[in-house]
Amino acid sequence: MTKNIVVVAGGGGFIGGHLVKRLLELGTCHVRAVDIKPLKDWYQVSTAAENFAGPADGDARDFRVCRTICHGASDVYQLAADMGGMGFIENNKALCMLSVLTNTHMLLASQEAGVKRFFFSSSACVYNADKQLNPHVTALAEADAYPALPEDGYGWEKLFSERMCRHFREDFGIQTRIARFHNVYGPEGTWRGGREKAPAAVCRKVIAAKASGDHSIEIWGDGTQTRSFMYIDDCVEGIGKIMDSKIYEPVNLGSSELVTINQLVDIAEEIAGIKLKRHYKLDAPRGVAGRNSDNTKIRSYLGWEPSISLKQGIAATYRWIEEEFRKECDPADAKSLATSGFSHGSKPIPGDGYVAESRHMDTWRQGIPVGYGAGG
Ligand code: NAD
Ligand code: GDC
């Protein structure tokens, strides 16, 4: 029996790598994983999948690549994007907006190929900033995205692409599904180099402090910022449930367990069995003051919501980063890994945590299409 062909764009990344594995475990489809990164830089490689890697075969901004990967497919999971934590998206707004090329070409190629279902990974960064001014935030319901005032750059691109998905469904009949992810974390994700988000950064800094013996930690902002963090297994399960559902409008996919960044550090310290002196970096990227996910809609449709506790998820994430640290880092590196860097504009400045060899921070080369501006 021929299996349906399912495409995962961004399959070399954090969530995409876990999703490819889950789809293969289900054993009901043939999986095509696509990513602009060379295969050696993929976070997880599943040899049972058909992998399209590198700028030539895996760049989903290139319509020819999208046509090739969508040909004969029934389902598409469009996760490919130039993204990262606050340190990256606040300082690379143009690059984040270029992901519109990927979303547009993947939608066009999917519609042309007769793809039935198209999943788009949107973000809580679409939400109106004026509703996130207080750490004691009211959880964000889907309607809070309007009137529009999303995170600059990245948030606008996601909101625009949500609308494009809707109009492709209304005008061309492709079944689009849109989930707004709320800060996803876990093993096999970005943990250093400048694109990492708070959970991985905090775990890395605690591990580095323990390794170096310098029992202090740098925290961006004043630590009172609040967020909810969703463990990767809940994310992958939610993606499957939303794709199989009849939820046509954007829906929150996030935890509703609200914590401060100080409490996030408490949890990592508890796992490490140490207490650190806290240094607050008030001029570092902080994003919104408070953000949480209102899960009324997803519960009403699916009778389900993300439920893995932060303590459980951070414990697994900490152990994984500790192992990576042991494998990849010389203890002498510990001091440099105790701080998080953030790039200024598209050209990272050496010395602020940018590591040229790092597979986690290939910013400016990844952002500009091959041959772009080469004249002619
Ligand atoms: P990630 O950076 O680990 O994965 C994204 C992948 O897309 C990367 O491997 C990257 O190389 C690839 N990519 C970028 N441009 C590409 C292109 N032109 N062609 C092909 N591949 C390309 O990020 P992630 O955390 O796995 O996020 C997956 C999706 O979920 C993204 O769309 C992201 O915006 C969205 N999202 C993630 C979170 C989160 O907290 N992780 C929150 C909200 C939304
Ligand atoms: O980067 P992030 O996880 O993204 O930051 C959360 C909070 O943690 C911020 O207030 C930040 O200042 C604080 N923080 C403290 N120390 C550190 O060392 C650190 N590194 C980082 N990265 N943060 C630190 C994210 C976007 C994603 C996605 C999700 C959707 O914004 O970056 O692209 O869209 O939102 O939920 P966050 O939650 O602000």
Side-chain angles (χ1 to χ4, degrees):
M1 185 189 84
T2 49
K3 289 182 176 176
N4 280 346
I5 297 171
V6 171
V7 175
V8 178
F14 168 41
I15 302 171
H18 284 274
L19 180 60
V20 167
K21 257 175 75 183
R22 171 65 69 84
L23 289 168
L24 289 169
E25 281 159 11
L26 292 173
T28 54
C29 57
H30 170 84
V31 180
R32 279 185 191 149
V34 185
D35 204 291
I36 191 174
K37 290 188 293 191
L39 203 62
K40 68 175 178 54
D41 292 344
W42 288 27
Y43 291 169
Q44 301 186 74
V45 177
S46 299
T47 49
E50 191 187 355
N51 296 317
F52 294 75
D57 302 326
D59 182 354
R61 290 166 304 175
D62 183 335
F63 190 42
R64 290 161 303 178
V65 168
C66 297
R67 277 187 156 147
T68 305
I69 56 177
C70 291
H71 183 70
S74 63
D75 290 0
V76 167
Y77 294 87
Q78 170 29 14
L79 307 179
D82 221 336
M83 73 86 65
M86 259 313 131
F88 179 81
I89 67 172
E90 277 202 3
N91 291 292
N92 294 278
K93 295 172 181 163
L95 289 182
C96 290
M97 294 199 87
L98 275 172
S99 294
V100 73
L101 290 173
T102 313
N103 295 322
T104 307
H105 289 152
M106 283 298 290
L107 266 172
L108 269 173
S110 296
Q111 188 254 336
E112 189 187 76
V115 164
K116 305 245 174 339
R117 305 188 305 172
F118 184 98
F119 178 93
F120 173 57
S121 52
S122 186
S123 164
C125 280
V126 301
Y127 282 111
N128 181 307
D130 287 344
K131 300 191 176 170
Q132 304 172 83
L133 298 173
N134 186 322
H136 310 294
V137 68
T138 304
L140 297 160
E142 287 76 3
D144 291 324
Y146 297 94
L149 190 61
E151 172 75 33
D152 200 8
Y154 177 79
W156 280 104
E157 190 282 320
K158 289 292 186 186
L159 196 59
F160 174 85
S161 293
E162 284 189 3
R163 311 270 326 167
M164 195 155 51
C165 286
R166 171 182 160 173
H167 298 312
F168 264 68
R169 178 172 54 79
E170 289 171 350
D171 299 358
F172 304 134
I174 186 167
Q175 289 306 305
T176 54
R177 300 286 182 274
I178 303 164
R180 291 175 180 159
F181 297 163
H182 288 247
N183 212 311
V184 189
Y185 73 99
E188 309 284 354
T190 309
W191 60 281
R192 62 172 175 158
R195 287 178 185 256
E196 68 278 2
K197 299 188 299 302
V202 166
C203 287
R204 186 198 75 234
K205 288 177 180 180
V206 172
I207 291 161
K210 207 172 169 182
S212 70
D214 170 2
H215 287 187
S216 68
I217 184 167
E218 166 216 80
I219 299 172
W220 294 359
D222 61 10
T224 66
Q225 309 99 287
T226 58
R227 297 287 187 277
S228 71
F229 298 106
M230 173 172 59
Y231 190 64
I232 184 66
D233 291 6
D234 271 338
C235 181
V236 171
E237 184 170 356
I239 292 173
K241 287 179 184 294
I242 292 168
M243 187 63 140
D244 296 342
S245 77
K246 289 273 176 278
I247 308 175
Y248 299 132
E249 68 273 25
V251 64
N252 278 328
L253 182 53
S255 159
S256 55
E257 182 185 354
L258 186 70
V259 293
T260 66
I261 298 304
N262 276 328
Q263 287 167 326
L264 175 66
V265 177
D266 293 344
I267 292 172
E269 284 178 332
E270 204 180 308
I271 294 162
I274 55 172
K275 261 318 222 184
L276 302 174
K277 182 159 178 20
R278 300 181 182 192
H279 301 292
Y280 295 101
K281 200 172 166 54
L282 300 182
D283 63 347
R286 279 166 306 167
V288 295
R291 176 181 286 162
N292 195 7
S293 180
D294 178 329
N295 290 345
T296 309
K297 180 177 283 197
I298 196 167
R299 270 201 312 271
S300 68
Y301 273 106
L302 304 178
W304 173 92
E305 68 177 307
S307 60
I308 297 170
S309 76
L310 188 59
K311 273 205 169 141
Q312 246 182 303
I314 291 291
T317 308
Y318 183 98
R319 297 284 167 242
W320 179 77
I321 294 177
E322 196 174 38
E323 195 43 41
E324 292 296 297
F325 188 96
R326 225 194 298 277
K327 276 193 295 187
E328 293 189 14
C329 304
D330 178 329
D333 295 340
K335 267 208 169 305
S336 69
L337 289 163
T339 59
S340 284
F342 45 90
S343 54
H344 302 287
S346 296
K347 286 214 169 16
I349 302 168
D352 71 349
Y354 166 59
V355 184
E357 290 74 36
S358 161
R359 66 183 176 146
H360 298 290
M361 184 59 179
D362 205 353
T363 305
W364 47 279
R365 197 168 45 240
Q366 183 176 29
I368 307 299
V370 174
Y372 190 83

